[in-house]
Amino acid sequence: MTWEERWHPLRQEWVIVAAHRQNRPWKGSTIVEGGSALPRYVPDCYLCPGNLRVSGRRNASFTGVFVFDNDHPSVGPEAPLELSPPPGIYRARPARGLSRVVCYSPHHDLTLAELDILEVETLLREWQAQYRELGSHADIAHVLVFENKGEVVGVSNPHPHGQIYATNFVFRTIEVEVLASRQHLAESGSVLFADIIAAEQADGRRILSENETAIAFVPYFARYAYETFVAPKRSVASLADLDARELRDFALVLKDVLQRFDNLWQMSFPYVMVLHQAPTDGADYSAFHFHVEFHPPLRKPNLLKFLAGPEIGGGCFLSDTSPEEKAAELRAAAGPHYKSVAR
Ligand SMILES: [Zn+2]
Ligand SMILES: [Zn+2]
C-alpha cells in the first residue's frame, strides 16, 4: 500500500499517491481501443502517401517520414493581426507561429512502437531538423513536439503521426520546468534532471530500460499510472544536441518503452507523448535537461483516469496507483512487440 504525498521537483507541486483506493467500486464508463486489423493503405486517409487533403494539397508519395503544414493550424502565419482591443486589464495578441504534422511512416496500419529501429532513428533526426529549423525563426520562442495516440485522447485517425506547435511564447509546463531547473542549479550546483536520474538509479525499482547513454523510468513522483520519462543521461537542452551514438541509444530505449506499453495489455496503448525541449528564444538553458514524457490516460485496459476536482479544480494530481507497482508491470512486459510474436 502506498498512501503519501510526493514532491514533483520539475513542476514544484505535490502529488497525492492514494494507491490504497485503486480497487474501490467503479461503475463509470469503460474504454475499448480499436482492436480490428487495419489496411496498410486507406484511399481516403489524409495522411497516407499520395492522397488529397481537405486543403486541396496532395501528400507526397513518401516512403519514410513526411512533414507538412497543418491544414487546420492552431497557430499560423494566417492568424489575424488586427484584433479588437480587450477591456480593462485583459490582453490579447495574434496567434502567430507554425503548426506541422509529422507522419512517421507511409504505412497506415503501424504505430511508432512497431517501427524498426532505423525508422525510429529517422524520425528522431527529423525531429532534430524541425527543432533547429523552427527554432531559428526570430519570432518563434518554443517548439512543442508531441503525439496524441488513441481514440481515448481524441485521435480518430490511427495513421502513425505526431504534431509540432512552434509558438511565439513558451508553453507553461516548460516554463515551470525551466524555472525549477534554474533554481536547483543555483542552490545545489547541479542539474535538476540529472539528480532525478541519479535518484532513480539509486532506487532502481522504477527503471524500465537503460543503456550506456539513455534511460527510461516511471518517475517517483508520477502523476499518471504508467507515466514514463525517457532521457539521455548527458544534460543537453534538446534532442538536437545528441550525437549519432546518443541518438541510436535514445531510439533503442524509446522503442523498448513503446513495446512494453503495447505488450502490457496486448493492445495498442494510448498516450500523450511530449518532447520537453528548451525554448528557442536565445536565453541560457544550461540548467535544462531534455526528456520525453509519456502521459497514459488509462489506469487499466478499459478504465480511464478522469481529471476532476483535485486536478482540474485544484491544479494538483491525485494518483490512484503506486509508481513502483506500475513500473513493475512494465518491467515484466519486455519486447519483442506482441504483434511481431503473433505473426
Ligand atoms: Zn493513412
Ligand atoms: Zn518535463
Side-chain angles (χ1 to χ4, degrees):
M1 179 186 102
T2 311
W3 188 4
E4 63 194 33
E5 292 168 1
R6 295 187 176 185
W7 181 245
H8 193 313
L10 288 163
R11 299 177 61 89
Q12 299 193 318
E13 66 191 33
W14 291 100
V15 178
I16 306 170
V17 182
H20 62 295
R21 308 179 338 135
Q22 205 189 162
N23 292 319
R24 68 190 194 280
W26 177 259
K27 281 187 182 171
S29 66
T30 56
I31 308 295
V32 178
E33 283 285 324
S36 53
L38 296 166
R40 181 136 284 199
Y41 169 79
V42 174
D44 63 352
C45 168
Y46 68 94
L47 300 172
C48 275
N51 287 0
L52 204 59
R53 302 200 304 272
V54 66
S55 61
R57 296 185 188 91
R58 190 174 288 282
N59 292 336
S61 298
F62 62 99
T63 54
V65 177
F66 174 61
V67 182
F68 62 90
D69 286 337
N70 197 319
D71 297 321
H72 309 282
S74 304
V75 290
E78 280 92 43
L81 285 173
E82 302 297 322
L83 307 178
S84 53
I89 60 157
Y90 295 152
R91 294 194 289 166
R93 63 182 177 188
R96 304 308 284 257
L98 286 163
S99 306
R100 287 180 179 166
V101 176
V102 182
C103 292
Y104 299 165
S105 162
H107 299 314
H108 188 87
D109 59 336
L110 293 182
T111 63
L112 183 51
E114 296 165 83
L115 300 189
D116 69 37
I117 197 66
L118 289 175
E119 292 169 319
V120 176
E121 271 192 87
T122 302
L123 173 63
L124 294 181
R125 276 196 294 274
E126 183 61 43
W127 281 343
Q128 288 183 318
Q130 291 290 328
Y131 177 83
R132 287 195 196 103
E133 193 249 297
L134 292 165
S136 70
H137 293 229
D139 52 349
I140 284 174
H142 184 244
V143 180
L144 192 79
V145 178
F146 64 97
E147 178 187 354
N148 303 327
K149 176 168 173 267
E151 289 175 30
V152 68
V153 292
V155 180
S156 50
N157 189 339
H159 195 116
H161 71 286
Q163 298 185 61
I164 302 175
Y165 286 1
T167 49
N168 55 5
F169 68 98
V170 180
F171 270 79
R172 183 66 184 158
T173 299
I174 304 301
E175 196 172 59
V176 170
E177 288 192 358
V178 164
L179 291 173
S181 301
R182 282 183 179 154
Q183 198 181 331
H184 186 84
L185 186 66
E187 286 167 3
S188 71
S190 55
V191 172
L192 175 57
F193 203 93
D195 284 352
I196 289 172
I197 291 175
E200 291 297 336
Q201 287 173 316
D203 186 319
R205 286 176 297 166
R206 292 173 303 275
I207 295 177
L208 305 183
S209 187
E210 185 173 9
N211 55 32
E212 207 174 326
T213 74
I215 187 168
F217 54 89
V218 175
Y220 171 76
F221 46 82
R223 295 180 301 155
Y224 292 85
Y226 309 104
E227 178 172 328
T228 299
F229 287 11
V230 182
K233 291 182 181 173
R234 186 164 67 93
S235 293
V236 292
S238 80
L239 181 70
D241 294 315
L242 297 187
D243 64 29
R245 186 168 149 257
E246 288 171 316
L247 203 71
R248 159 56 68 103
D249 280 357
F250 193 86
L252 286 165
V253 169
L254 183 67
K255 180 168 170 59
D256 185 19
V257 164
L258 290 160
Q259 288 185 153
R260 288 170 191 275
F261 283 160
D262 282 8
N263 286 351
L264 185 65
W265 300 321
Q266 306 271 299
M267 62 176 249
S268 187
F269 189 80
Y271 56 70
V272 171
M273 173 184 73
V274 187
L275 275 65
H276 282 190
Q277 308 195 82
T280 56
D281 55 4
D284 173 22
Y285 291 104
S286 50
F288 193 82
H289 185 125
F290 157 69
H291 55 283
V292 174
E293 296 193 8
F294 284 95
H295 302 287
L298 297 184
R299 289 159 47 197
K300 292 180 183 174
N302 50 12
L303 185 55
L304 189 63
K305 160 68 180 172
F306 282 104
L307 304 187
E311 296 87 5
I312 294 174
C316 278
F317 261 66
L318 191 155
S319 169
D320 308 283
T321 54
S322 136
E324 290 71 40
E325 278 177 24
K326 298 297 110 177
E329 291 176 30
L330 289 170
R331 282 165 65 102
H337 194 274
Y338 75 93
K339 276 195 194 167
S340 68
V341 174
R343 259 177 219 136

